[in-house]
Amino acid sequence: AQKITQTQPGMFVQEKEAVTLDCTYDTSDPSYGLFWYKQPSSGEMIFLIYQGSYDQQNATEGRYSLNFQKARKSANLVISASQLGDSAMYFCAMREFNNAGNMLTFGGGTRLMVKP
Amino acid sequence: ETGVTQTPRHLVMGMTNKKSLKCEQHLGHNAMYWYKQSAKKPLELMFVYNFKEQTENNSVPSRFSPECPNSSHLFLHLHTLQPEDSALYLCASSQTGGLGQPQHFGDGTRLSIL
């Protein structure tokens, strides 16, 4: 079974609107962390936001927020006030506490395209 | 220089060539990683090094040979590659310990095998 599932291969959003990128995960480990990364066409992976499984509040970082629903095992990324520069691939990733090393498991990604 | 630097950015090589990819991090991290990113596939972890010791080899073919001489440098030596090895190779680094330590990535090396 896939550990990280991103069901939206591609999405369009109008500039200045908000957009939600979906991520569901599968783990039996009670302790885990969830990450979102942005990958522009240039290739680098940029860390955006982190949510720990025991965090009481949803993480926020500027225009990025994480809608963490633990019971549903979902960790959706919300980008508010989209900008043209937000057009990129977005990856959700998970690290499990009992996983050897510091390994991240990545989802397949969502391509976001912001329309002017 | 800051962050994670990868060289070269682009590499074209024949199947019989030998080449090396280089990664350097200036973040004081003690873990380094190689990933492979092929078209239409999730990012695949290849190797993990913690404190210069290899702690993970994700069933990578022996034509890929990593080397980590110190905590700041990571190499990927390539030999007798196949066309399916064409991909973006990403290096990352992080601090060990703590679930919340993010991995910081370089810009990647785009490899094309002729």
Side-chain angles (χ1 to χ4, degrees), chain B residues 2-64:
Chain B
T2 59
V4 181
T5 305
Q6 287 186 244
T7 54
R9 290 296 310 277
H10 301 272
L11 179 62
V12 180
M13 56 187 283
M15 288 193 284
T16 58
N17 292 157
K18 286 186 183 180
K19 295 284 185 186
S20 295
L21 310 185
K22 180 182 175 184
C23 176
E24 186 174 358
Q25 58 97 0
H26 303 274
L27 299 168
H29 291 161
N30 43 40
M32 295 188 78
Y33 314 80
W34 279 117
Y35 287 89
K36 176 183 179 183
Q37 188 176 29
S38 306
K40 300 181 182 178
K41 283 176 125 181
L43 218 61
E44 300 171 67
L45 178 68
M46 300 174 73
F47 301 103
V48 180
Y49 278 82
N50 286 286
F51 297 98
K52 302 188 300 176
E53 298 297 319
Q54 188 181 126
T55 55
E56 186 73 21
N57 176 339
N58 201 21
S59 303
V60 181
S62 60
R63 57 186 185 268
F64 294 91

Side-chain angles (χ1 to χ4, degrees), chain A residues 13-82:
Chain A
V13 65
Q14 198 66 42
E15 193 180 7
K16 299 180 186 175
E17 291 185 352
V19 63
T20 297
L21 306 183
D22 295 342
C23 172
T24 57
Y25 57 92
D26 182 27
T27 180
S28 56
D29 196 328
S31 186
Y32 53 89
L34 297 155
F35 301 79
W36 276 92
Y37 284 85
K38 171 185 178 182
Q39 188 180 39
S41 56
S42 51
E44 81 258 42
M45 296 277 279
I46 303 166
F47 166 65
L48 296 178
I49 195 166
Y50 166 78
Q51 179 84 44
S53 59
Y54 293 118
D55 292 343
Q56 295 295 313
Q57 299 204 329
N58 286 345
T60 59
E61 286 287 346
R63 293 186 300 110
Y64 304 109
S65 60
L66 216 150
N67 183 2
F68 182 46
Q69 298 187 44
K70 196 170 180 177
R72 295 175 128 185
K73 293 190 174 178
S74 76
N76 298 338
L77 177 71
V78 181
I79 306 174
S80 62
S82 298

